[in-house]
Amino acid sequence: MKQGIAILAGCLMAASSQAALFNFTGDIEYHNDVVQIGFSLEEDATDVRVWTDSFLSGANFDPITALWTGDGMLIDENDDNDGVNPGTQSRFDSGFTLSSLAAGDYIFTVATYDNFVVGDTLDEGFAFDGQVPVTLADWDQPANGTGKGSYWSVWLDGVDDASNPDDPTASVPEPASVALLGLGLLGLGVRRLRRG
């Protein structure tokens, strides 16, 4: 029995340091809206991927993504990269495969093409910030035309925690929380077996 508990405790500690897969979805209303997803790494990582899979071969708007440090310094921006998660992304989806990323907090943004960042900090904003907002249904997106859907979908793989500040309830539980729940249920099962 004690050996089983020791093994479970080891599994729990290992689970707390494992990275998770997160998915956030939503709709943008206007052509100059920018989605921000925050994520964090507890330790330096060599296998982080962040991407969109919502273009759906032209059913929705063409996304541009950017990666920022937690304090809003631009790391990189990407227009088209459907090779981050082949098979789920279509031609104009975007994202990053990161072979080395330091522990810390980060922000992943999604904007419509061609609402590129205008500087090296998130505070400097995006190209469409000063424009009168146009609903996605009415907007003539460069290179993609009118009538594009407003749906977006973001995936983060290999991160420890993630959240969408626009919808804090959409956060997915960390692996440690799931492992803790499993440990508690196992403890109840063992207790019941000992009584029975």
Side-chain angles (χ1 to χ4, degrees), residues 8 30 43 100-101 108 115 133 157 170 176 187:
L8 285 173
Y30 300 109
E43 299 174 358
S100 178
L101 198 59
F108 182 66
N115 190 14
D157 187 21

Side-chain angles (χ1 to χ4, degrees), residues 16-176:
S16 68
S17 65
Q18 290 177 353
L21 178 66
F22 295 87
N23 177 232
F24 297 96
T25 61
D27 290 280
I28 65 170
E29 188 172 0
Y30 300 109
H31 81 296
N32 52 1
D33 287 345
V34 176
V35 176
Q36 293 187 28
I37 305 294
F39 70 93
S40 62
L41 298 172
E42 294 174 8
E43 299 174 358
D44 294 354
T46 58
D47 57 353
V48 174
R49 298 181 306 148
V50 291
W51 73 93
T52 66
D53 68 348
S54 49
F55 181 63
L56 300 177
S57 297
N60 296 300
F61 70 93
D62 177 359
I64 296 175
T65 59
L67 184 62
W68 313 80
T69 61
D71 60 357
M73 297 299 297
L74 181 65
I75 297 172
D76 201 0
E77 184 175 35
N78 184 283
D79 180 16
D80 300 325
N81 184 359
D82 62 356
V84 179
N85 197 45
T88 64
Q89 295 178 286
S90 57
R91 182 176 176 199
F92 292 132
D93 275 308
S94 183
F96 303 92
T97 299
L98 305 155
S99 59
S100 178
L101 198 59
D105 296 325
Y106 296 91
I107 301 166
F108 182 66
T109 59
V110 179
T112 61
Y113 178 81
D114 58 346
N115 190 14
F116 290 103
V117 302
V118 294
D120 292 329
T121 67
L122 193 52
D123 290 342
E124 292 175 83
F126 294 78
F128 294 170
D129 285 353
Q131 296 180 5
V132 174
V134 179
T135 60
L136 258 284
D138 297 327
W139 183 50
D140 187 2
Q141 185 175 23
N144 286 286
T146 58
K148 297 300 174 192
S150 60
Y151 174 73
W152 60 266
S153 172
V154 166
W155 291 86
L156 303 101
D157 187 21
V159 306
D160 293 305
D161 192 23
S163 65
N164 176 358
D166 294 330
D167 186 5
T169 62
S171 185
V172 180
E174 295 179 60

